[in-house]
């Protein structure tokens, strides 16, 4: 006798069989760091710790066996897309990779909502990177399944900010009381937009160092101000480096400039060298969301303060924690 398959619900949220509906973030979208409070971070970092332990002990395990992730990237990505793929596969799930969007229906003019609604028929969760600010929130309006924002233009990159914060917590042992200095293209760097917002949950001081045309957007400075977080702007790193606990370096985002001349005028504006690092504290860390394109000399990689490749590994555990959480298995 044929088994009755219930009709696909149009209005109700997606509730897969057998998942833990009480799990924090179950079925939720991850769109902006603004959705998190300190308890949420404690929860995510706790799960990320467990993931780290499991990966180190057994490598790959079956927590998300049978689950499928659609990795939908409209902008180039190496790290974020590989990191989500590795996270899903370490948890025993599988991945539909869509990196070359120009070969897909999108290049035939398909709208983002149609692409999302098609992919969610195949997958349980969608990771989306798109060049437009607000694209992930728009996709989430149409999707019944969780959308994870993997970068919406110069908007936000919430999973990067979570892994950045996890890195700071793991490396420095705490976040409250630290001075965090962000350097480089603060106008176009979505990672610093998300990180500075997330840091407002803590008792920190934030410094911004950039050329004038790449300053942190006034809207974000205003938001941080509203949360009473001390912040200062500089054009020169050397004055502020000695008191920094974290130096967060970013690349100049070539693809976001209106003209090549504008890019050329700021390209290579800051380069972190061994010599510059002599002025930094012994107990501090240098971070970078990567890719680096000359902002940190390779000679610094052996310095124990160079945390950027460790940061990549922390990212795997945080993304495993997020996938397991939104799929109700954390
Ligand atoms: N990988 C980061 C991002 O996607 C940083 C960068 O591209 O510079 O925003």
């Amino acid at each position: 006798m044929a088994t009755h398959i219930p009709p696909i619900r149009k209005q109700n949220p997606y509730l897969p069989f057998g998942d833990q509906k009480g799990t924090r973030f179950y079925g939720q979208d991850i769109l902006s760091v603004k959705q998190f409070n300190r308890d949420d971070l404690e929860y995510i970092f706790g799960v990320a710790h467990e993931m780290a332990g499991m990966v180190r002990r057994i490598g790959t395990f079956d927590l998300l066996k049978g689950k499928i992730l659609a990795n939908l990237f409209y902008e180039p990505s190496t790290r974020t897309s590989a990191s989500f793929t590795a996270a899903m596969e370490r948890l025993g799930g599988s991945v539909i990779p869509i990196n070359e969007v120009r070969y897909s229906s999108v290049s035939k003019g398909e709208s983002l909502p149609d692409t999302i609604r098609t992919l969610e028929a195949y997958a349980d969760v969608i990771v989306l990177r798109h060049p437009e600010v607000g694209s992930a929130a728009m996709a989430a309006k149409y999707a019944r399944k969780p959308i994870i924002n993997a970068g919406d233009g110069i908007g936000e990159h919430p999973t990067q900010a979570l892994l950045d914060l996890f890195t700071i917590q793991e490396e420095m042992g705490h976040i409250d009381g630290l001075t965090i200095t962000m350097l480089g293209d603060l106008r176009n760097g979505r990672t610093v937009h998300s990180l500075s917002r997330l840091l407002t949950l803590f008792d920190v001081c934030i410094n911004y160092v950039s050329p004038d045309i790449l300053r942190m957007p006034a809207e974000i400075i205003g938001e941080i101000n509203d949360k009473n977080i001390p912040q200062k702007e500089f054009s020169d790193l050397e004055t502020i480096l000695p008191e920094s606990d974290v130096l967060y370096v970013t690349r100049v985002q070539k693809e976001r400039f209106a003209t090549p001349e504008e890019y050329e005028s700021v390209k290579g504006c800051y380069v972190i060298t061994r010599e510059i690092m002599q002025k930094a504290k012994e107990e501090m860390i240098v971070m970078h969301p990567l890719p680096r394109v000359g902002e940190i000399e390779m000679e610094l990689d052996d310095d124990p303060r160079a945390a950027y490749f460790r940061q990549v590994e922390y990212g795997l555990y945080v993304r495993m924690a997020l996938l397991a959480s939104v799929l109700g298995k954390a």
Side-chain angles (χ1 to χ4, degrees), residues 55-101:
V55 169
R56 285 175 193 151
R57 276 198 305 279
I58 53 173
T60 296
F61 46 104
D62 276 350
L63 193 66
L64 294 186
K65 189 166 191 278
K67 300 288 182 193
I68 298 178
L69 158 70
N71 229 2
L72 177 60
F73 281 72
Y74 287 75
E75 276 190 339
S77 166
T78 310
R79 265 149 297 273
T80 307
S81 112
S83 166
F84 271 109
T85 300
M88 196 63 185
E89 292 187 355
R90 291 258 176 216
L91 291 164
S94 30
V95 181
I96 304 173
I98 308 171
N99 284 318
E100 298 287 344
V101 170

Side-chain angles (χ1 to χ4, degrees), residues 145-162:
K145 299 191 182 165
I147 299 287
I148 300 181
N149 180 4
D152 58 333
I154 63 164
E156 280 221 33
H157 197 345
T159 67
Q160 176 76 43
L162 291 169

Side-chain angles (χ1 to χ4, degrees), residues 90-201:
R90 291 258 176 216
L91 291 164
S94 30
V95 181
I96 304 173
I98 308 171
N99 284 318
E100 298 287 344
V101 170
R102 67 199 150 96
Y103 296 128
S104 79
S105 309
V106 173
S107 64
K108 300 179 197 159
E110 184 172 60
S111 69
L112 179 61
D114 281 8
T115 306
I116 292 291
R117 284 185 290 206
T118 302
L119 284 175
E120 71 173 352
Y122 309 140
D124 301 289
V125 53
I126 298 174
V127 168
L128 173 69
R129 170 169 291 183
H130 194 280
E132 279 161 37
V133 176
S135 51
M138 196 259 251
K141 258 206 237 154
Y142 291 91
R144 291 179 306 127
K145 299 191 182 165
I147 299 287
I148 300 181
N149 180 4
D152 58 333
I154 63 164
E156 280 221 33
H157 197 345
T159 67
Q160 176 76 43
L162 291 169
L163 79 86
D164 290 341
L165 211 60
F166 185 58
T167 303
I168 298 174
Q169 165 79 51
E170 294 300 289
E171 295 269 324
M172 304 298 291
H174 61 104
I175 299 167
D176 285 319
L178 296 180
T179 295
I180 289 121
T181 298
M182 301 182 187
L183 173 85
D185 186 349
L186 309 183
R187 179 183 74 181
N188 300 307
R190 55 191 167 204
T191 70
V192 282
H193 299 169
S194 287
L195 181 59
S196 53
R197 284 176 169 134
L198 199 55
L199 281 168
T200 62
L201 295 175

